[in-house]
Amino acid sequence: MREITLSQAVNEALAEEMRRDETVFIIGEDVAEAGTPFKILSGLVEEFGTDRVVDTPISEPGFMGLAVGAAMTGTRPVVDLMFGDFIYLIMDQLCNQAAKTHYMSGGKMSAPLVLRTNMGATRRSAAQHSQSLHALVAHIPGLKVAMPSSAYEAKGLMKTAIRDNNPVVIFEDKLMYNDKAPVPDEEFLIPFGEANVKRAGSDITLIGTSSMVQVCEAAAEILAKEGIEAEVIDPRTIVPLDEETLIASAKKTSRVIVVDEGHQSYGITGEIAGRINEKAFYHLDAPVLRMGAMDVPVPFSPALEDITVPTPEGVAENARKLMSGEMIHAA
Amino acid sequence: MREITLSQAVNEALAEEMRRDETVFIIGEDVAEAGTPFKILSGLVEEFGTDRVVDTPISEPGFMGLAVGAAMTGTRPVVDLMFGDFIYLIMDQLCNQAAKTHYMSGGKMSAPLVLRTNMGATRRSAAQHSQSLHALVAHIPGLKVAMPSSAYEAKGLMKTAIRDNNPVVIFEDKLMYNDKAPVPDEEFLIPFGEANVKRAGSDITLIGTSSMVQVCEAAAEILAKEGIEAEVIDPRTIVPLDEETLIASAKKTSRVIVVDEGHQSYGITGEIAGRINEKAFYHLDAPVLRMGAMDVPVPFSPALEDITVPTPEGVAENARKLMSGEMIHAA
Amino acid sequence: MVKTKTNTEDYLRMYRQMMRIRSFEDNANQLYLSAKMPGLTHMYSGEEAVAVGICEALKVTDKITSTHRGHGHCVAKGANFKEMFCELLGKEQGYCRGKGGSMHIADQSNGNLGANAIVGGSMGIATGSAFTAKLLGKDDVTVCFFGDGATAQGLMYEVMNMAALWNLPVIYACENNGYSEYTKTEEIAAGSITARAEAFGIEAHQIDGQDVLAVNELTQKLVARARKGEGPFFMELMTYRYHGHHVGDINREYYRSKEEEKEWKENRDPIIKFRSWLVEQGIASEDEIEAMNAEIKKDAEEAVAYAEAAPYPDQSEVDMHVFTDVKHALA
Amino acid sequence: MVKTKTNTEDYLRMYRQMMRIRSFEDNANQLYLSAKMPGLTHMYSGEEAVAVGICEALKVTDKITSTHRGHGHCVAKGANFKEMFCELLGKEQGYCRGKGGSMHIADQSNGNLGANAIVGGSMGIATGSAFTAKLLGKDDVTVCFFGDGATAQGLMYEVMNMAALWNLPVIYACENNGYSEYTKTEEIAAGSITARAEAFGIEAHQIDGQDVLAVNELTQKLVARARKGEGPFFMELMTYRYHGHHVGDINREYYRSKEEEKEWKENRDPIIKFRSWLVEQGIASEDEIEAMNAEIKKDAEEAVAYAEAAPYPDQSEVDMHVFTDVKHALA
Ligand SMILES: Cc1ncc(C[n+]2csc(CCOP(=O)(O)OP(=O)(O)O)c2C)c(N)n1
Ligand SMILES: Cc1ncc(C[n+]2csc(CCOP(=O)(O)OP(=O)(O)O)c2C)c(N)n1
Ligand SMILES: [Mg+2]
Ligand SMILES: [Mg+2]
């Protein structure tokens, strides 16, 4: 199968959906001629014109609000939020308006829009351009949240998101934009709420989101050399969450680590671990371990930044401890 | 001891701290003559004048940002955010600016401010005036988060918050403003990070935040009649979190329910349950159960709203199940 | 006053619609005072000429966005009493199945995209609705209603900028009733409201909001021009609210005088003024008007009775409409 | 040009400061091109007369807030090369101990409250700093630097309104360099920028930002008036950035022409212009100027060498400075 980058995958997904449905449009800063600072959208304005690839002023709350109104009245906006860190600016329009439109209207109105944004540290972009803030939106009823882990997922989830009649937030890891993966030539969609078992294993379950899937796979490689067979699972969407697959794996392996790049405290690992603990408790040989990013703002200095996020070695080390029955964290 | 309402407690705390430190000021909508729509601040403008009790235009991001700058330059703002639901509007100033100032400056600057806001449903205020959004800010490193459960805590935590050199967010339950509790005449402070064991018990631990402490206490009453002795714990601050007390209790009782009024999914119960599961796992007879508000926008209709939040009966019922060894949720 | 419609029917409909709003509000207020209405509500009485003058210049497919003070807009855009009262009481037959309530009432069948409990919260939505019209080549115009207080929300400037850059068919209608909550407009708005719009290159008009014909005439002109792509426009409509900020705001002498209220009610009432004009012009006799009033009153009372007797939504609805594609989100 | 300071020293310091900025940026750019600098940075070259003209009218205790393009402001407000380069390289001796980096560089000892990576993010902070001065009765003035692109952020209008209502001693300094990222200002800013400030009753001036004396003269006047409580003020300074949006933005013909760049660099360079004036006026000879330039160049190169050799912060610093009162947040 041909290999394309995650950027190209997103670009293809958007182009295909824009061809299929002329109510789809893209809105955000420097999305047209510039094709975004990450050059993800290159070529789209040439094909679809500036009516459908719309450069905005630097008004995140404004264009997010505009997208909500546009979605409510018959179009399908794809909002481009240049950095995930700017999500704080649009929370009201996203969470008070878009997320609640369908419910507050008793099912009569809806806001079918996609918010495309990113996440991920270790790019030396410092505290306001490096955050992974998916936990904030996953908490709000009415929003779906997708976290693609490769070009393949980036394409399939984006196409599904655009066709979904609800507001969907997609977090792309900005460090993976140039990473290649096999992506079919033919059209495909990835349904929401279906986790992907990336690697089968019987000793321990490693659940990773976004780029942490790769971290888990690398950890699994390390562990395999030591005779530990790790199962690696990518939930792909955290809302809806495919509890069933996660719990089945937990019951099978009886040991679980959840790895995510958001801050650990009050982040998404708590929910995933919580559900597994609740529903697979009597099958577990050890507590579900959680590994998130450190609870510190992302430091600029390379000497500090790299140690704030989970690594394959760190995951492998914790896996070993769990396997050896060590009571990690136990006082 | 005299009893005063939670409103009065907040009012007293502010008045005392404003007398003690003239750099303390209050800023928000209709805080002066009107004393807020909840009439919490009545009398303060008369004592401290409009320079220190500052009515603003309806510009939440603006006055939150102003408070950050004021705090950075030598004052101690207490920001009044009329409804907790408006926190979405100020997330950038709170989370990108205030929370990160100290860290990004390598410890050279700080933003000692208090954000006073509220939470709580069942007031028929519908989806945009009823949310309990403390999970969003608890996730952001650099912010402390307090959740008073009575007039006593409201006073003691507020005074501590004002003296703290970090940004602190306080969520008051708007349904408790008129609830009375004993509050000493003498000055007192409640340190952050110290949970309060409201009721001792040996059979099961009920951890509740804000008004859910009362719900847990009421559940404990019901259970006591049935011979089940519940321990009720109020963490008082969720950042910092007094893990030690919670874990010690979990080890003692071996059964835990965490009750909170935020939406359950990706809310704070996941973190609290996660830490207990990790650190008391081998002492637990059952998984830590989590009870949050339903994962739905808050409906207006009284027929629907009341069933979205945890109740004493619901907590007692789950406690009974845990006690009887029923494998709740277990597939 | 200027004759803008030669059609008697049009004049009578304007009168009728103003009277229907007044009547609706009298009943809503009564429901509150007799503790039959859950929560609070904000009365539109006194401002009828604004909503009616504007909405009578619109087609059914034209859109409006409304505010927390939204009953007037809803009636003026064509809504029925029964569904409205049902909504205010949280009943299943309400426009939003009781899930929205007064602050979220919407009637998408008549182009009312909904009230909004976030001050200024619908400015993006209105602008987005106009964006849809432009993108899809429809000639629909959107009117964005908001209060003087909402001019303090930064969102307004963000969306006005985009609307101006892209010539969107949107009319920003600022209902300047002199107050936001308990604060006079001059205390929270520096400079000039119309100049703010003009600074973005938007044609702005200040107009007497108590004169339904003047409002209607201006709106007709602006709507016609907006349909041709000459938008956006801005209107500042000088008006007054007769009741408190909300129904519970009874003692208001501390922020405005009884004399001021009396002056507006007695000498500037939009309904009284228009009624005398109708009689003077021989368009309707006093008897005809009284008959109309009586009929409206009866309609309103019947609708109230209907709504009081109507059933609440079934509790199973609580997790419906969270997502469009999931019947019960929590099942 | 108008003579605004009769003091030779002042003129020479202005020249020196402009030259220091240019020299700093040349070295920073070089560090990037030779892959020695982590992440990206935004060059201030071309805009020196703005920062210097303004900051030379300020006292040390006056405050400024800066932007993502902040090196110029930092130097102009009095910072040292060594601590600045150390910060850019993430070293422990940096102004922020390497935690902030280029986009968060701050120097509170000289009143620089910091660069900001959120466009417009510091407008609230600047206004709050001015609020502090007023509340505490200090005569400090705060200057808020921001770009033309930042005028699209709603926050600006919110804080200008409050500053105008309360006569705060703040000067909003809009550096209009014709572009925000890859977009021309006229494509993202409708109407007139100065008119927007005027609409809030704020005195606004548009001025040639390449003329350091003109900038300095105007600023001196406005600062003096602001100290007396006659603020706020607004300045739109017409300027140009010589480099790309950031150091990596090399091929920029698609959004601006080489001719345009050449015209500004050759005919409107603030340093060349001021240098000839100094020579013409007999304030400095060519030789003296060359000597000054050489000295500055040497300083900068030494500082770079120093910073390159300087140590990174110890990894144990990673969880320091999250909170003021906790040495290690994760210990
Ligand atoms: C963002 C936000 N801030 C504050 C409030 C509380 N609030 C509700 S109505 C109101 C006053 C609004 O004034 P105005 O816009 O003039 O409308 P009016 O009530 O006069 O019709 C305020 C402050 C809110 N609902 N939303
Ligand atoms: C809120 C926010 N939106 C977008 C960005 C990305 N961004 C960084 S600089 C910039 C352009 C800023 O333009 P302007 O304010 O004119 O400043 P200039 O770069 O021209 O100095 C943009 C869009 C950001 N950092 N913050
Ligand atoms: Mg008003
Ligand atoms: Mg610019």
Side-chain angles (χ1 to χ4, degrees):
Chain A
M1 208 185 292
R2 71 185 179 136
E3 299 214 330
I4 60 173
T5 65
L6 196 147
S7 290
Q8 286 172 306
V10 172
N11 190 302
E12 281 188 10
L14 291 167
E16 287 175 19
E17 293 305 301
M18 290 177 83
R19 276 175 217 132
R20 187 188 56 79
D21 178 351
E22 47 176 44
T23 68
V24 177
F25 70 95
I26 298 171
I27 186 160
E29 292 152 20
D30 279 319
V31 292
E33 285 73 17
T36 80
F38 297 100
K39 304 295 168 205
I40 299 160
L41 306 185
S42 302
L44 295 183
V45 73
E46 286 76 7
E47 178 171 355
F48 302 103
T50 51
D51 282 354
R52 292 179 66 197
V53 185
V54 184
D55 267 352
T56 64
I58 311 174
S59 304
E60 287 82 2
F63 64 73
M64 183 68 216
L66 186 152
V68 179
M72 285 169 67
T73 49
T75 59
R76 291 187 176 259
V78 179
V79 176
D80 188 293
L81 188 71
M82 201 185 290
F83 282 87
D85 312 65
F86 308 159
I87 208 160
Y88 293 128
L89 286 162
I90 61 163
M91 287 293 278
D92 178 62
Q93 292 298 317
L94 183 65
C95 302
N96 267 335
Q97 312 298 342
K100 298 180 172 45
T101 296
H102 192 60
Y103 193 83
M104 292 193 308
S105 68
K108 295 202 183 133
M109 298 196 291
S110 58
L113 60 86
V114 178
L115 173 66
R116 260 196 69 230
T117 192
N118 56 35
M119 57 181 285
T122 70
R123 210 172 149 264
R124 320 301 174 221
S125 303
Q128 294 173 343
H129 278 62
S130 307
Q131 295 165 85
S132 299
L133 297 174
H134 43 290
L136 303 186
V137 293
H139 183 49
I140 307 305
L143 299 176
K144 297 187 179 181
V145 184
M147 301 181 69
S149 60
S150 85
Y152 176 75
E153 278 79 19
K155 181 162 182 187
L157 293 172
M158 178 61 73
K159 286 172 65 85
T160 303
I162 293 174
R163 298 184 192 190
D164 199 289
N165 290 321
N166 300 284
V168 179
V169 187
I170 302 197
F171 289 90
E172 297 160 4
D173 190 300
K174 59 179 106 66
L175 283 113
M176 300 194 327
Y177 279 135
N178 294 321
D179 290 0
K180 288 194 172 186
V183 175
D185 270 316
E186 318 73 66
E187 162 153 276
F188 69 100
L189 290 103
I190 298 178
F192 284 1
E194 287 193 14
N196 184 20
V197 180
K198 295 284 286 187
R199 177 189 180 116
S202 50
D203 296 329
I204 185 166
T205 301
L206 306 178
I207 299 170
T209 57
S210 184
S211 67
M212 293 300 116
V213 175
Q214 297 174 8
V215 166
C216 289
E217 287 185 294
E221 286 294 327
I222 299 174
L223 293 167
K225 297 200 185 98
E226 303 166 18
I228 299 174
E229 288 308 325
E231 179 144 299
V232 176
I233 307 185
D234 171 9
R236 299 203 285 205
T237 52
I238 55 171
V239 180
L241 181 70
D242 179 359
E243 243 181 53
E244 235 168 86
T245 302
L246 305 183
I247 289 164
S249 177
K251 286 185 179 169
K252 182 174 74 174
T253 64
S254 79
R255 292 175 185 85
V256 182
I257 306 181
V258 187
V259 191
D260 177 68
E261 208 186 326
H263 297 300
Q264 178 162 320
S265 284
Y266 301 102
I268 71 155
T269 60
E271 182 65 27
I272 296 176
R275 294 204 199 177
I276 294 171
N277 272 316
E278 278 167 47
K279 301 189 185 173
F281 185 77
Y282 301 99
H283 301 260
L284 294 177
D285 287 341
V288 177
L289 263 198
R290 304 178 298 131
M291 296 178 70
M294 270 187 193
D295 291 325
V296 305
V298 180
F300 167 70
S301 183
L304 303 179
E305 187 180 23
D306 289 344
I307 60 174
T308 64
V309 294
T311 58
E313 295 69 35
V315 174
E317 198 180 312
N318 275 334
R320 268 178 228 119
K321 285 189 195 161
L322 279 186
M323 291 306 298
S324 72
E326 208 177 304
M327 283 165 67
I328 305 177
H329 287 309
Chain B
M1 207 185 295
R2 71 185 178 133
E3 300 216 330
I4 60 174
T5 64
L6 196 146
S7 291
Q8 286 171 307
V10 172
N11 190 303
E12 280 188 10
L14 291 167
E16 287 175 19
E17 293 305 302
M18 289 177 82
R19 276 176 217 132
R20 187 188 55 79
D21 178 352
E22 47 176 44
T23 68
V24 177
F25 70 95
I26 298 172
I27 186 162
E29 291 151 20
D30 279 318
V31 291
E33 285 74 18
T36 80
F38 296 100
K39 305 295 167 204
I40 298 161
L41 306 184
S42 301
L44 296 182
V45 73
E46 285 76 8
E47 178 171 356
F48 301 102
T50 51
D51 281 355
R52 292 179 67 197
V53 184
V54 185
D55 267 352
T56 64
I58 310 173
S59 303
E60 287 82 2
F63 64 75
M64 182 68 217
L66 187 151
V68 179
M72 286 169 67
T73 50
T75 59
R76 290 188 175 261
V78 178
V79 177
D80 188 292
L81 188 72
M82 198 185 295
F83 283 87
D85 311 65
F86 308 159
I87 208 161
Y88 294 128
L89 286 162
I90 61 163
M91 287 293 278
D92 178 62
Q93 292 298 317
L94 182 65
C95 302
N96 267 335
Q97 312 298 343
K100 297 180 171 48
T101 295
H102 191 60
Y103 193 84
M104 292 193 307
S105 68
K108 293 199 186 134
M109 298 195 292
S110 58
L113 60 85
V114 178
L115 173 66
R116 260 197 70 229
T117 192
N118 55 35
M119 56 181 285
T122 70
R123 211 173 147 264
R124 320 301 174 221
S125 303
Q128 293 173 342
H129 278 62
S130 307
Q131 295 166 84
S132 298
L133 296 175
H134 43 290
L136 303 185
V137 293
H139 183 50
I140 307 305
L143 299 176
K144 296 188 179 180
V145 184
M147 301 181 69
S149 60
S150 84
Y152 175 75
E153 279 79 20
K155 182 163 183 189
L157 293 171
M158 177 62 73
K159 286 173 65 85
T160 303
I162 292 174
R163 298 185 192 190
D164 199 290
N165 290 321
N166 300 284
V168 179
V169 188
I170 302 197
F171 289 89
E172 297 159 4
D173 190 299
K174 60 179 106 67
L175 284 113
M176 299 193 329
Y177 279 135
N178 294 322
D179 290 359
K180 289 193 172 186
V183 175
D185 270 316
E186 319 74 65
E187 163 153 275
F188 68 101
L189 290 103
I190 298 177
F192 283 3
E194 287 191 14
N196 185 20
V197 180
K198 295 284 285 187
R199 177 188 181 117
S202 52
D203 295 328
I204 185 166
T205 301
L206 305 179
I207 300 170
T209 58
S210 183
S211 66
M212 293 299 116
V213 174
Q214 298 174 7
V215 166
C216 289
E217 286 184 293
E221 286 294 327
I222 299 174
L223 293 167
K225 296 201 186 98
E226 302 167 17
I228 300 173
E229 287 308 323
E231 181 146 298
V232 176
I233 308 186
D234 171 10
R236 299 203 285 205
T237 53
I238 54 171
V239 181
L241 182 69
D242 179 1
E243 242 181 55
E244 237 168 84
T245 302
L246 305 183
I247 290 164
S249 177
K251 286 185 179 170
K252 181 174 78 174
T253 64
S254 79
R255 293 175 184 84
V256 182
I257 304 181
V258 188
V259 191
D260 177 68
E261 209 186 325
H263 297 300
Q264 177 162 320
S265 284
Y266 301 102
I268 70 156
T269 60
E271 182 65 27
I272 296 176
R275 294 204 199 177
I276 295 171
N277 272 316
E278 279 167 45
K279 300 187 186 173
F281 186 76
Y282 300 100
H283 301 261
L284 294 176
D285 287 342
V288 177
L289 263 199
R290 304 178 298 132
M291 295 178 71
M294 271 187 192
D295 292 326
V296 304
V298 180
F300 167 70
S301 183
L304 303 179
E305 188 180 23
D306 290 342
I307 59 175
T308 64
V309 294
T311 57
E313 296 68 35
V315 174
E317 197 179 314
N318 275 333
R320 268 179 228 120
K321 285 188 193 162
L322 280 185
M323 291 305 298
S324 72
E326 207 177 304
M327 286 166 67
I328 306 177
H329 286 311
Chain C
M1 291 187 185
V2 195
K3 281 210 199 188
T4 55
K5 293 198 174 183
T6 47
N7 196 317
T8 300
E9 246 173 56
D10 290 341
Y11 294 133
L12 293 179
R13 201 174 49 241
M14 278 197 244
Y15 178 83
R16 167 185 292 275
Q17 287 290 68
M18 290 204 287
M19 198 60 212
R20 287 183 75 233
I21 294 173
R22 183 71 55 91
S23 198
F24 184 91
E25 294 300 49
D26 287 345
N27 280 279
N29 196 35
Q30 215 38 58
L31 281 168
Y32 174 80
L33 294 176
S34 54
K36 286 181 183 159
M37 195 181 57
L40 290 176
T41 185
H42 309 81
M43 303 278 93
Y44 197 73
S45 314
E47 310 190 12
E48 293 87 351
V50 175
V52 172
I54 289 176
C55 291
E56 283 295 308
L58 301 177
K59 300 181 300 184
V60 174
T61 56
D62 289 330
K63 307 288 184 287
I64 64 165
T65 62
S66 168
T67 68
H68 58 286
R69 197 176 303 289
H71 306 162
H73 313 132
C74 197
V75 171
K77 196 66 175 60
N80 297 321
F81 280 173
K82 273 188 190 160
E83 285 90 336
M84 284 187 70
F85 279 118
C86 280
E87 192 57 38
L88 260 61
L89 298 185
K91 301 301 179 74
E92 191 203 307
Q93 288 171 64
Y95 272 115
C96 309
R97 300 190 73 79
K99 278 183 169 152
S102 165
M103 288 207 289
H104 303 292
I105 197 161
D107 169 18
Q108 123 279 20
S109 63
N110 283 301
N112 177 358
L113 300 177
N116 209 306
I118 301 299
V119 165
S122 70
M123 288 169 169
I125 295 172
T127 310
S129 166
F131 186 93
T132 290
K134 192 176 177 195
L135 183 67
L136 304 187
K138 299 187 195 172
D139 77 346
D140 296 339
V141 168
T142 303
V143 174
C144 176
F145 287 102
F146 56 96
D148 48 286
T151 63
Q153 287 281 329
L155 182 64
M156 173 167 132
Y157 304 92
E158 299 194 358
V159 298
M160 286 201 307
N161 187 35
M162 288 187 273
L165 287 167
W166 305 334
N167 284 115
L168 298 183
V170 56
I171 298 176
Y172 298 102
C174 177
E175 302 178 307
N176 188 342
N177 59 12
Y179 296 86
S180 51
E181 285 193 355
Y182 321 109
T183 302
K184 285 197 200 301
T185 307
E186 61 259 34
E187 290 168 27
I188 53 94
S192 142
I193 289 176
T194 48
R196 297 186 194 173
E198 282 160 355
F200 289 87
I202 297 177
E203 185 180 311
H205 301 263
Q206 198 190 59
I207 182 172
D208 179 1
Q210 306 308 85
D211 179 344
V212 71
L213 288 184
V215 172
N216 185 254
E217 183 191 39
L218 175 62
T219 310
Q220 285 194 41
K221 283 188 192 149
L222 299 181
V223 166
R225 288 171 59 197
R227 286 201 209 290
K228 287 190 288 177
E230 294 173 24
F233 297 102
F234 191 99
M235 295 164 79
E236 182 185 7
L237 302 117
M238 310 313 282
T239 184
Y240 200 74
R241 63 164 155 82
Y242 288 174
H243 294 263
H245 168 58
H246 55 68
V247 281
D249 171 24
I250 307 288
N251 300 316
R252 39 187 187 271
E253 289 95 298
Y254 74 94
Y255 70 87
R256 74 181 197 190
S257 67
K258 291 218 160 126
E259 295 69 54
E260 181 185 293
E261 293 188 3
K262 193 160 171 271
E263 158 67 15
W264 280 85
K265 286 184 191 173
E266 292 184 0
N267 300 326
R268 303 185 61 177
D269 184 74
I271 299 180
I272 298 177
K273 274 170 71 177
F274 192 52
R275 177 187 170 139
S276 351
W277 183 83
L278 288 175
V279 175
E280 259 168 51
Q281 299 286 319
I283 296 168
S285 69
E286 288 284 355
D287 284 355
E288 282 164 343
I289 287 179
E290 284 302 329
M292 217 189 312
N293 289 358
E295 185 205 315
I296 291 167
K297 193 159 172 261
K298 188 157 157 278
D299 266 12
E301 281 161 7
E302 276 173 16
V304 168
Y306 182 90
E308 287 188 271
Y312 283 112
D314 189 85
Q315 291 204 342
S316 69
E317 290 221 14
V318 71
D319 68 343
M320 289 172 73
H321 311 126
V322 180
F323 295 108
T324 60
D325 49 0
V326 185
K327 181 130 205 220
H328 289 284
L330 304 178
Chain D
M1 290 191 190
V2 193
K3 280 209 198 187
T4 53
K5 293 199 177 185
T6 48
N7 195 318
T8 299
E9 247 172 55
D10 290 341
Y11 295 132
L12 292 180
R13 200 175 52 242
M14 278 198 244
Y15 178 82
R16 169 185 291 276
Q17 287 290 67
M18 288 203 290
M19 198 61 210
R20 287 183 74 233
I21 294 173
R22 182 72 55 93
S23 199
F24 185 91
E25 294 299 49
D26 287 346
N27 280 279
N29 195 35
Q30 214 39 56
L31 281 168
Y32 174 80
L33 294 175
S34 55
K36 285 182 184 158
M37 196 182 57
L40 290 175
T41 184
H42 308 81
M43 303 277 93
Y44 198 74
S45 314
E47 311 191 11
E48 293 87 351
V50 175
V52 172
I54 288 176
C55 291
E56 282 296 308
L58 301 178
K59 301 181 300 184
V60 174
T61 56
D62 288 330
K63 307 288 184 288
I64 64 164
T65 62
S66 168
T67 68
H68 59 285
R69 196 176 302 289
H71 307 161
H73 312 132
C74 197
V75 171
K77 197 69 176 58
N80 297 320
F81 279 173
K82 272 187 192 161
E83 286 89 337
M84 285 187 70
F85 279 119
C86 280
E87 192 57 41
L88 260 62
L89 298 185
K91 301 301 179 73
E92 190 202 307
Q93 288 171 62
Y95 272 114
C96 310
R97 300 189 73 80
K99 278 183 169 152
S102 165
M103 287 206 290
H104 303 291
I105 197 161
D107 169 18
Q108 122 282 21
S109 62
N110 283 301
N112 177 357
L113 299 178
N116 209 306
I118 301 300
V119 165
S122 69
M123 289 168 167
I125 294 172
T127 310
S129 167
F131 185 92
T132 289
K134 191 173 179 201
L135 183 67
L136 304 186
K138 299 185 194 172
D139 78 345
D140 296 340
V141 167
T142 303
V143 175
C144 177
F145 287 102
F146 56 94
D148 47 285
T151 63
Q153 287 280 327
L155 183 64
M156 173 166 134
Y157 304 91
E158 298 194 0
V159 297
M160 286 201 307
N161 187 35
M162 287 186 275
L165 287 167
W166 305 333
N167 284 116
L168 298 183
V170 56
I171 298 176
Y172 299 101
C174 177
E175 302 179 305
N176 189 343
N177 60 10
Y179 296 86
S180 51
E181 284 194 355
Y182 321 110
T183 302
K184 285 195 201 303
T185 308
E186 61 257 36
E187 290 168 28
I188 54 93
S192 143
I193 289 176
T194 49
R196 297 186 195 175
E198 283 160 354
F200 289 87
I202 298 178
E203 185 180 311
H205 300 263
Q206 198 190 59
I207 182 171
D208 179 2
Q210 306 308 84
D211 180 344
V212 71
L213 288 183
V215 172
N216 185 255
E217 182 191 39
L218 176 62
T219 310
Q220 284 194 42
K221 283 189 194 149
L222 298 182
V223 166
R225 288 171 58 197
R227 285 201 211 291
K228 289 191 286 178
E230 294 173 24
F233 297 103
F234 191 99
M235 295 165 78
E236 182 184 6
L237 302 116
M238 310 312 283
T239 185
Y240 200 75
R241 64 165 155 81
Y242 288 175
H243 293 263
H245 168 58
H246 56 66
V247 282
D249 171 25
I250 308 288
N251 300 316
R252 41 187 186 268
E253 288 95 298
Y254 74 94
Y255 70 87
R256 74 182 197 188
S257 68
K258 290 217 160 121
E259 295 69 53
E260 180 184 292
E261 293 188 5
K262 193 159 171 274
E263 158 67 15
W264 280 85
K265 286 184 192 174
E266 292 182 0
N267 301 326
R268 303 187 62 177
D269 184 75
I271 298 180
I272 299 177
K273 273 171 70 179
F274 192 50
R275 175 186 171 141
S276 352
W277 183 82
L278 289 174
V279 175
E280 260 168 48
Q281 301 287 318
I283 296 169
S285 69
E286 288 284 355
D287 284 354
E288 281 164 345
I289 286 178
E290 284 302 329
M292 218 190 313
N293 288 358
E295 185 206 315
I296 291 167
K297 193 161 173 258
K298 190 158 153 278
D299 267 11
E301 281 162 5
E302 277 172 17
V304 168
Y306 182 90
E308 287 189 271
Y312 283 112
D314 189 84
Q315 291 204 342
S316 68
E317 290 220 16
V318 72
D319 67 343
M320 289 171 74
H321 311 127
V322 180
F323 294 107
T324 60
D325 50 0
V326 185
K327 182 131 205 215
H328 289 284
L330 303 177

